[in-house]
């Protein structure tokens, strides 16, 4: 949040892992709803883990992108 440019760079870099984890989560949820053996609390935990994991992965990706763009920070 040091500048508008850094904010945009970080969010642009974090977009890919966020979209990937979101797509995997939605796909997993649709599969889990369609298959009776996967309709369990464990499936919900897997979906939450993938989504949170993607969010956590996007943080260092965003930081690296800002550091590359602004090496003095």
């Amino acid at each position: 949040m040091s500048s508008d440019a850094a904010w945009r760079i970080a969010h642009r870099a974090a977009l890919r892992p966020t979209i990937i984890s979101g797509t995997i989560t939605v796909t997993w949820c649709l599969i889990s709803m369609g298959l009776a053996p996967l309709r369990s609390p464990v499936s919900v935990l897997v979906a939450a883990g993938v989504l949170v994991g993607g969010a956590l992965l996007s943080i260092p990706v965003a930081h690296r992108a800002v550091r590359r763009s602004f090496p003095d920070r």
Side-chain angles (χ1 to χ4, degrees):
M1 291 180 38
S2 60
S3 71
D4 287 341
W7 182 263
R8 282 189 296 278
I9 289 167
H11 278 79
R12 192 174 305 124
L15 187 60
R16 178 177 238 151
T18 303
I19 288 175
I20 290 171
S21 67
T23 302
I24 292 170
T25 301
V26 168
T27 304
W28 175 256
C29 289
L30 291 172
I31 291 169
S32 295
M33 288 187 303
L35 298 175
L38 292 178
R39 288 187 208 140
S40 70
V42 174
S43 292
V44 175
L45 293 175
V46 169
V50 170
L51 195 58
V52 170
L56 292 175
L57 178 63
S58 69
I59 294 169
V61 169
H63 281 243
R64 279 194 300 269
V66 171
R67 283 192 206 115
R68 278 193 307 265
S69 297
F70 301 100
D72 57 334
R73 293 181 190 193

